[in-house]
Each structure stands twice: as C-alpha cells, then as structure tokens.
Amino acid sequence: MKTAEEFFNILKQKFGDSIIELKSGVPLESFIIIDPLKIDEVCLFLRDDSELKFDNCMNLSGVDDANGKKEAQADGSSTIVGGTISVIYHLESVYLKHKVTLKVSAPRENPQVKSVAAIWRSADWHEREAYDLFGINFINHPDLRRILMPYDWEAGYPLRKDYKNPEFYQGMKVPY
Amino acid sequence: MMYDFFVDLLGNEILAAIVTGVPPLVFILVFVLFAVWLERKVSAHMQDRLGPMRTGWHGYLQTIADLIKLIQKEDISASANDKPLFNLAPVLVFAGTYAAFAAIPFSSYYIGSNLDLGIFFIIGISGLVVAGILMAGWSSNNKYSMLGAMRSAAQIISYEIPTIIVVLTVVMITRTLNLHTLSEMQTGYFWNWMIFGGPTAGLEKFLLIPLMFIGFLIIYTSMLAEVNRTPFDIPEAESELVSGYHTEYSGMKFAMFFLAEYANMFAVSAIVSALFLGGYQSPIGYLGNLFDAPWLIPVEQFFWFTAKGTFFVFVQMWLRWTLPRLRVDQLMALCWKYLIPIAFINLIIVGLITVL
Amino acid sequence: MSFETKKNITVYKPAVKTEEMILNMGPQHPSTHGVLRLELQLEGEIITKVIPHIGYLHRCFEKHAEAMTYPQVIPYTDRMDYLASMGNEFGYAVAVEKLLNIQVPERVEYIRVIMAELQRIASHLVALGTYGADIGAMTPFLFCFRDREKILSLFEMTCGARLLYNYIWVGGLSHDLHPDFVRQTRDFVTYFKPKIKELNDLLTYNKIFIDRTSNVGILPLDTAINFGISGPMLRGSGLKWDLRKDDPYSVYHKFDFDIPVGEGKVGTVGDCWDRYYVRVLEMGESLKIIEQALDQLPEGDVSSAIPKRIKPPVGQVYTRVENPRGELGYFIISDGSVNPFRVKVRAPSFVNLGVMDVLCRGHMVADIIAILGSVDIVLGEVDR
C-alpha cells in the first residue's frame, strides 16, 4: 500500500514539470496537482505501469474553486472574474488496492483539460457531466455534449457559483 | 344440423343461415364475459391476491363494467392512419374467429353446419386473422405496431404447420375430416378417445397411445402460439412493444380485438378437445341413458363440451401467468427445429401403424 | 488491455444491406425503469448502436446541497436512489462523520447495518421482480412485492416512512428502535428464507428464463473494470469485490458473510443470468448479516453523538459505501462553513449505464430489455 508521497515521487521523477505539487496535511486526503494539458499522459502511465496499475477511475468531479474576484453586476448579483475551475480525479487499483487523488486547475474564463476518456471509459460520462455543469472543455473527448441539462440549454453552466437562472427557456418561464 | 332444422322450420334458406349464425355469437359473448372474469380471478389467486371483488359477488360483473367503459370511450384515430384498413382490421380478426365457430361440434344435435371438411375449413378460415393483424399493424402508422404485426404474422403462419401435421395424424386414424363424425367415433367411455388411441383395438391401440400424447402436446403448444398467448405473446408483449399491433386502437375497436382473442382461445381449445379428447362425448356415460330420457343427451353433451373447452382455456391462463416469454428467434427455432421434425416423425410412425 | 474508442465500432455486418432504422425506446415506456430514452439504431432486429439519453429526472441535488446545512441535505440524499434510501443516507453520514472525525456509538453502527441490509433485500426484490415482469413472468413480481411489504412495514415501525426515511443522521439516528423491532425482524428472517427457494423454483431455473438471459449481454471482466462498473454487475463478471469486505466501513468487519460471484453456471461468466443470480444469492447473505447483527446488538443511546452544529474543518473527503446497485461515492469539499462547498455524488447507476452501448451491440431488440433489467438502474440516481 503506497502513500501519496510515494506516488508523488514516482510521478515527479517521470514527468518533471507537469507534476506541480503535493498538497497534504489538509483533512482528509492528500492530492497531487497536475498540469491540465498533460493529465492524459500522466494517467496513461498511472494505468499501465506495473507497480501502480490504477485500472479504475472511481470518480471525476468538477469543482468551482470560486477563488477569483467577486464583481457586482447591475442587477444585484455578482460574477466571479479570474480564479480557477478544477477537476478532481479519484483513482484506485482493484488488484493492488491503493488509491490516489489528482487535481488539475484551469483558468476560469476558458478551462481546457485533456480528456482521459480513452484511458478509463468510466470517465466518459463523468467528463460530459463536468462539461455540462461547469463548462470545462475536455480536449479529445469522443462525444462532448450536455448530459443532464437539455441539449440546447444556452444559459450557462449551472454548478458554477455565479450562475443565474435564465428568464425563459423555449418560451417557458423558468423561475416560477 | 341446426341449419337443416331451421331450413325445415322457416322454409327460407337465407333466413335459416342468418338464424343459425346467432347461437354461436351468443355463446361467444357469454363465454367472453365469463372468460375475462376467469382470467382476472385466476391470475389474482396465482399471484396471492384477490382480484375484482366489488362489482357483484366476487366481481362477476366486472366484464360488463369493462364493456360499458370501452363502449363509451372516444374512438381515437390518428390523421396519418390508413382509414379503410384501420377500420377493417378488427372486423376481419373477429370475423375469422367467428367463422371458425361454424364448424365446431357443440353437441351431437347442434353444429352450425355439418361440413365434410370440417377441420380443414377451420384451419383455413383462421388465416383471415393473419390478414387482419397485418392490416392493423400497417395502418397504425407506428413502428412498434408494425414490428408486432409482422412478428405475429410470422408466428401464426409458422405454427400452422405443426398443427396441420398433427391434425393429419388424427385424420389418418379416423379417415374423415368431418368433426361430427370424428366426435361420433369417440363414443363409449373415455377409453375410446383419440388421445388413448381412438376406436382402434388391440395392439394398435397401445402402440398409438404415446404417439397420440405427443401429438396432443404438440398441437396444444402450436395452438398457444396461434392465439398469441404467453409464452408466445411477443406481439402483445407489454414491456417490449406496448401492446404491439393493437396499441393505437381504443374504444369499441379495441373491444373487438379483445373479444376475438378470447373467442379464439375457446375455438382453439374446442378443436383440441374435439380432436383428442372426445369432443362432446362424456367420459362416464350419460344421465339421459340412466333416466331413459334421450332428449337430455344433447344437453349433457353440450355441457361436457363446454367443460372441456373451458378447462383448456383455464390451462392456457395458467401457463400465461407462470411462464416467461420466449424471444422471437427462440420461438421460430422451437417451431422449425423441434416441433415440426417431431410432428413429422410422429406422423410417419402413426401412418405405418395404421397401415400395418 | 486497451480497446478502441472509435465511435463506429460494428460487430455485425449483414450480408444484405438492409435499411437502418432508428427506434426510440422513449422516455415513457413500461420497462425502462424510469424516464430513460434509449435511441436504438437497428438493422432489422439487430442493434448496431445504443445511445442513452438521460437528464429527464435531473433535480439539481448538488446545487441544492450547496445552499443547505449539512443535516438538511439528508432528505435530499434519500430521494436520489429512492429504492435504497437507507444506503444513500448511510454513505452521506459516513462521509460527514469522517470529515468531522467523530465516533458514533456502537448501537448506532449496528442499527445502521441492519437497516442497510434490510434495504438491500428490499431493493433486490424490486430488481428481481421487475426483471421477471420485463421478461414476461408476471407472477414473481407480485411475490417479490408481497415480501417487500413486510420489510417496508418494519421500516415504518422504526421511523414512520415506507420509502424515504430521513433516519440516518450525521452522528446517530433520528429515532431509536421500536421495542418490538427485534422480534419482528427475526420473524421476517425466518419467513423469508424459504421464499428465496420459492423464487428460485419459479423463475431462476425456469428453462425459458434461462434461454432469455444466459449468453446475453456478456460483460468481460476487464471491460467492466475499465468502465468503472461496481456492485452485482461487477461480481457477476467474476470478480470477488465488495466494499463491505475490501474497503470496510462501519462494523462490517465483525460479521461473517460470503461474497457471491458469477460463475457462468448456465451460460458464460458475466451474462445477464449471472448478474441476476448474484442478486438472489446476495439476499441470502444479507439475511445472515441481519441475524448476526441482531444477536450482537448492544445497548446505548442513539442520539448522543449528534452534534448541535456541524461545521467541519476545511478539507475534502471521498468515501464510498456498497449500495444494492453498486459503489455509491460521496465527495464532499468543506470550506469551514455550515454549508458544504461541493457535494459530488458518484452514483452507481450513472456509471453502470455507460456500458449499455458495449453490452448491446449485436443483440436483438428483445435482449435490450433483458440487458437493461440486469444493469438495474434507478433514474433518480442516474440524473440526481
């Protein structure tokens, strides 16, 4: 059973600059921060290396870090400018029984993250959900469309902290 | 029989024909009233519940309530439907079934028309049902209905073949297609029934018994497929095709399909019992003979015939609520790969036994 | 093993090119277990592609959770997988208790396990009953629901609700057990054991049922792991993986039970019959756990550890529990306030549904029903 430090060291040796830092000491899990455009190479290595063998991506969630500047708008609400949106990966190995958490952060205005759907097929729908609810664009995803919201929802990405409901959707009044 | 009787009574052939057609219709209606109630009670008790209990004593008026509901429903008809076919289809389905009742021997006195090719006529006229189903599926303008109708047509046509082969088997022993004569040949106690070898004697009879049993099983299974009952009810599979070819029908037309299905169930059970289980003959002798009242005998025969038919209808319902459904290709495989070869071998062996 | 992620994988190439038909098993359909739309591309009766469309039951659970306090989220977790509510609450409570680093009394742990296992039996009864009804056998459906009624009345006795409980709170339970609960649960256990045998006689070994479900929808093991499949689907493909044993939480390590695995008894390993049979056997195992838990049930106070105000430290946690449908994961990020910053639910049905396309290629339309029934989804969980 390896710990997060050991994983961090193995990855840092192999990938160098793509691995940014290891955030530990925060309850309850330590996570490894990785460059968003290099995440697919790192994950391919994580899956195929014989000592690591992370063959199961348990969870892939988008998170709106809300660490930008709040700007007040004309109608009383506020939008957030700057800051990041992150994607958090929880991986585990069924046969070697260890787990690791990864995090990538991308700028809020145009979040671009490489897709890992080709590596773990379970990430396919999770990434579609992150795109749908946060607006994160996954490069090289086979079929990036909205999954939970209607396909023609124009009004933004609902789980962002500064999301406002639109007035009308296809002629129907939205807040009722 | 009835026909001749009415011709004598009324003098006019056409009028006699019309009047002769009424008793089977009345019988069908009364039987369907009873059968729908029976199905609901049988299914309920098999599923550890009670079924209809409020409409009349133990719900026996439930069917009438359903009928009233169906009659007063709006007759929905989509604009893209093929109107003439759409309206004609339930009529054809019901007509095919109703026409088969003409040659069924209810008792030695009452047969609608004493055809010399009784059984052949029945099987032939049931083909109208296929035409009606295909019309219903096509004119509904609905992919699901079309799929259901095509499957149903394929199923009915395929399963006619084992039916006919087994009928041939019986006919080889009796040497007649006339259902009345066939039933008359099975007089005596139940030992003379076809399923126990028929009115043959000696070694032949004992050799025939197992073959006749196999024939009976084959024809019963094929008949289940003819009337689209589980395990062969793919055309009506609720969970797959949402009612198949009668999805788009409502109100009185749907009631016609419903009526036709239960009438068909009885017709098919009647044929099986006429061929194999002695038709209207009683297994234990007649009360009329006991009390020396010969006019009582046809009444008793009618009672025995209805009892046998209802018993087989009950077995059909029993099977429906116990077994799961077969998939389309498994159904076809069952027919072509298993039933037909067995029926053929059966036919050949019976033929050899009869000849030698 | 790697496999293709190209979009147009064809398994079946017919000799005669027939016209491709698109059939919609629409949102309203008797056997899609909820509002799920399956777009099927057919060639005659053979399927070339299945595209599931979900989102019809999306109720924005995750957005709601950010606006409420930690205890207020619990009724919302109930409503995700509404057929296994105790499991949802259990997972959430375990996650928040880990964040707060509090220890719940032993009695609470045992009662939670009993409730979760009873819920597992109830959920499997629904799955098996509706599966039989989809295949055409209507009678086992009613038998399963009759037995489930007994479990629901046990729940009603405890917390007043039959389906959505709001019972397992962070740090304890909302009510203690009814005084008659233990006796009635033992009666239920004795009553239910022969019923599993009855179900086996009626449905499991029925030749027609076996013909419909064996060798259909075969899921190879490495495909399953790569797709993140969990629960009875994964165990049906041959892997002995159960979170109650491999990543234990609560007091599961104190019980002695077995993990049923699919072995290809009447077909291939990983077909629909295997997944169905794993669920039947799991019901028997749950009965064992309930008996042991009832024997070992300690005394105590169930609400002593419930905190007055839940304000966890800044941090994040990912915990998972074994729901009847698979691995239910809660990823909670806390920013130190009384509202969670982010609650992400990793729903097992959501992930399991992603494998439908691969499972259904090359089968017929009637098999889709069999395969969808064996995946055992609940749309409340898929869409949240």
Side-chain angles (χ1 to χ4, degrees), chain C residues 122-324:
Chain C
S123 172
H124 281 325
L125 282 173
V126 174
L128 302 175
T130 50
Y131 194 45
D134 288 343
I135 303 281
M138 328 267 184
T139 314
F141 173 73
L142 282 140
F143 289 167
C144 289
F145 269 66
R146 172 197 63 192
D147 300 330
R148 183 172 171 255
E149 279 305 305
K150 300 214 173 352
I151 300 183
L152 294 186
S153 54
L154 284 175
F155 284 142
E156 189 182 354
M157 189 167 56
T158 317
C159 56
R162 278 161 49 98
L163 203 62
L164 303 165
Y165 313 109
N166 194 8
Y167 181 63
I168 300 183
W169 287 359
V170 177
L173 305 167
S174 72
H175 300 86
D176 201 346
L177 289 181
H178 192 271
D180 206 21
F181 181 84
V182 176
R183 184 191 68 85
Q184 286 203 14
T185 314
R186 283 198 208 272
D187 287 344
F188 170 73
V189 170
T190 349
Y191 160 82
F192 190 61
K193 278 208 183 105
K195 298 294 177 189
I196 302 186
K197 180 168 182 319
E198 184 187 74
L199 182 69
N200 275 344
D201 286 336
L202 188 57
L203 194 59
T204 315
Y205 294 114
N206 185 326
K207 183 75 174 56
I208 301 181
F209 183 73
I210 293 181
D211 277 339
R212 279 300 291 272
T213 52
S214 64
N215 295 323
V216 164
I218 300 173
L219 183 62
L221 185 58
D222 34 11
T223 317
I225 298 180
N226 198 290
F227 269 88
I229 308 287
S230 51
M233 270 192 89
L234 182 62
R235 293 195 274 281
S237 292
L239 182 65
K240 222 175 169 102
W241 176 263
D242 188 327
L243 285 179
R244 296 173 288 175
K245 288 229 150 128
D246 292 302
D247 198 1
Y249 52 97
S250 187
V251 287
Y252 276 107
H253 54 273
K254 294 196 181 167
F255 300 119
D256 169 36
F257 59 100
D258 199 14
I259 312 288
V261 180
E263 288 153 8
K265 223 165 145 185
V266 292
T268 18
V269 177
D271 58 17
C272 291
W273 193 88
D274 268 349
R275 297 194 273 274
Y276 167 87
Y277 194 53
V278 162
R279 291 195 178 100
V280 173
L281 292 176
E282 269 187 17
M283 289 203 295
E285 300 298 326
S286 290
L287 281 180
K288 274 194 222 163
I289 299 180
I290 295 177
E291 274 179 334
Q292 292 169 37
L294 286 174
D295 290 333
Q296 299 172 21
L297 190 62
E299 297 299 323
D301 183 10
V302 297
S303 47
S304 58
I306 298 182
K308 289 264 179 330
R309 212 159 97 103
I310 299 188
K311 224 178 167 203
V314 175
Q316 61 187 48
V317 68
Y318 178 75
T319 40
R320 42 199 193 144
V321 292
E322 180 81 18
N323 238 18

Side-chain angles (χ1 to χ4, degrees), chain B residues 89-108:
Chain B
V91 176
L92 265 188
V93 172
F94 183 67
T97 314
Y98 178 40
F101 272 79
I104 291 185
F106 282 95
S107 76
S108 62

Side-chain angles (χ1 to χ4, degrees), chain A residues 37-141:
Chain A
L37 296 173
K38 295 283 190 304
I39 182 74
D40 53 345
E41 301 166 1
V42 177
C43 286
L44 195 59
F45 172 70
L46 282 173
R47 186 190 76 175
D48 292 335
D49 183 67
S50 53
E51 287 207 339
L52 302 178
K53 265 188 137 182
F54 283 105
D55 48 11
N56 188 5
C57 173
M58 297 190 287
N59 187 22
L60 194 161
S61 39
V63 178
D64 182 357
D65 294 322
N67 46 7
K69 211 160 51 93
K70 277 206 167 59
E71 276 186 7
Q73 294 286 75
D75 49 359
S77 61
S78 60
T79 51
I80 303 182
V81 174
T84 56
I85 290 191
S86 315
V87 178
I88 301 205
Y89 302 76
H90 289 94
L91 312 173
E92 77 157 346
S93 168
V94 170
Y95 295 107
L96 298 179
K97 299 201 194 306
H98 45 225
K99 301 185 236 192
V100 76
T101 311
L102 310 174
K103 176 170 173 169
V104 301
S105 298
R108 197 194 176 80
E109 269 64 42
N110 184 16
Q112 306 272 352
V113 176
K114 275 280 175 70
S115 161
V116 296
I119 305 173
W120 297 290
R121 296 291 290 268
S122 57
D124 189 341
W125 275 26
H126 279 116
E127 286 182 353
R128 275 180 68 184
E129 186 185 341
Y131 163 68
D132 185 10
L133 299 173
F134 288 95
I136 306 173
N137 184 19
F138 288 93
I139 310 170
N140 290 336
H141 190 275

Side-chain angles (χ1 to χ4, degrees), chain C residues 48-70:
Chain C
T48 45
K49 195 160 182 199
V50 173
I51 307 177
H53 298 273
I54 60 178
Y56 290 91
L57 199 50
H58 181 58
R59 292 160 293 173
C60 322
F61 164 76
E62 298 174 358
K63 189 86 180 170
H64 275 308
E66 293 172 12
M68 295 184 286
T69 63
Y70 284 88

